[in-house]
Amino acid sequence: MRADIHSHLLWGIDDGSGSEAQTRALLTAVKAQGKRFLALTPHCDPAHAPMEEFLEQRERAYRRFLALPEAEGLTLSLGAELYLTDAIFNYDNARELCYTGTDLLLTELQYTERFTGPAEKRLFRLVNEFGVRPVLAHVDRYRFFMKDPALLEELAQAGFLLQWNISSAMGFFGRRLFRRFYEKGLVHFLGEDIHRSVQDAEKRGRELEKLSERLPELFTCADRLAEEEIFRPCK
Ligand SMILES: [Fe+2]
């Protein structure tokens, strides 16, 4: 896995890395995993803080991050993980939340029991009113998608892109689940959604190696798509 499109490695901005030292250790682990393309996607919830405030904070955090020696050798993309509620529609646009130089916006849905009408309506409003293409964050974390792949198929057909957290692919059943959805064309991007644990990141490196040997095509396709769609404008 060379490309990771979902991480919380900017410190001091959300519930991700808590310090410079933690970010440095996490970056060392991430690079040891073989990753070369990394997106920084801090949580953004416009219902809790104005977007301007978030953007200023993110800019400061990003400048600090770029000064780290461990950041060298990585192709970076700056984005956000938008928590999708009606609050975003109080703004004129959401372009600045997209991955650097793209119209792709990592979007987290509310954790409800069902994928309801309002959630779907909001997704389409993002497309129609803001002209962005939502990348649905960690689709594996929503039971309504895992129980009903047809829902994801409909969204993929409508042009939404789907990101999976790699932790769901661990173990026999996880691997089988990934393979099943991949074969239906429903795994577009991979991410680790790293928050804080250095130990997890180190352990994940060994797991990723084994997993990519078992699902080589899936990793190659996800890496290629990420490099083309998300990281190409950053080079
Ligand atoms: Fe996240």
Side-chain angles (χ1 to χ4, degrees):
M1 180 175 170
R2 283 165 54 81
D4 185 333
I5 74 149
H6 185 163
S7 80
H8 299 271
L9 288 175
L10 293 183
W11 71 95
I13 182 166
D14 62 5
D15 61 344
S17 172
S19 67
E20 175 178 338
Q22 198 164 37
T23 294
R24 294 182 73 168
L26 286 166
L27 278 174
T28 302
V30 159
K31 287 168 89 171
Q33 290 174 359
K35 287 181 188 159
R36 294 296 173 263
F37 298 85
L38 179 70
L40 304 162
T41 52
H43 291 286
C44 173
D45 180 356
H48 281 102
M51 206 201 294
E52 299 74 21
E53 201 177 292
F54 167 79
L55 292 172
E56 274 168 32
Q57 259 194 332
R58 186 184 67 168
E59 188 54 33
R60 277 198 299 275
Y62 187 47
R63 266 190 260 125
R64 290 194 303 253
F65 181 95
L66 288 177
L68 299 178
E70 289 81 0
E72 273 172 38
L74 288 169
T75 299
L76 299 168
S77 177
L78 184 61
E81 181 178 11
L82 171 70
Y83 188 59
L84 185 59
T85 63
D86 286 333
I88 188 67
F89 301 108
N90 294 328
Y91 295 89
D92 292 335
N93 71 73
R95 273 285 159 140
E96 287 177 278
L97 301 178
C98 292
Y99 292 101
T100 311
T102 76
D103 59 355
L104 293 169
L105 174 54
L106 187 65
T107 306
E108 179 178 34
L109 304 176
Q110 288 175 301
Y111 291 91
T112 47
E113 265 308 298
R114 289 160 187 247
F115 183 64
T116 59
E120 191 168 11
K121 211 167 136 195
R122 284 187 202 111
L123 281 173
F124 280 94
R125 279 187 77 187
L126 274 182
V127 178
N128 297 329
E129 293 181 27
F130 293 156
V132 301
R133 285 187 291 156
V135 175
L136 302 188
H138 41 59
V139 290
D140 46 288
R141 282 176 58 181
Y142 302 95
R143 282 181 58 202
F144 46 76
F145 285 148
M146 294 301 96
K147 279 183 2 201
D148 185 5
L151 266 180
L152 276 185
E153 272 173 310
E154 273 173 37
L155 290 170
Q157 274 166 15
F160 295 96
L161 291 157
L162 312 175
Q163 181 258 314
W164 287 66
N165 272 5
I166 201 71
S167 53
S168 299
M170 301 302 160
F172 176 73
F173 293 107
R175 211 163 53 239
R176 207 163 63 170
L177 182 85
F178 251 54
R179 196 192 298 272
R180 190 155 61 88
F181 279 81
Y182 171 70
E183 282 166 0
K184 288 176 185 282
L186 300 175
V187 178
H188 299 137
F189 296 121
L190 299 176
E192 206 179 329
D193 198 3
I194 287 187
H195 278 70
R196 302 191 156 209
S197 172
V198 177
Q199 214 181 1
D200 280 359
E202 287 170 350
K203 192 172 133 224
R204 186 62 39 80
R206 292 186 289 278
E207 293 169 341
L208 277 171
E209 216 170 290
K210 278 191 225 153
L211 193 61
S212 58
E213 280 165 18
R214 290 186 161 152
L215 302 170
E217 201 190 328
L218 186 156
F219 278 81
T220 307
C221 286
D223 279 342
R224 197 185 303 134
L225 190 67
E227 287 175 38
E228 281 171 10
E229 291 273 357
I230 289 177
F231 296 99
R232 193 169 43 183
C234 307
K235 284 181 184 168

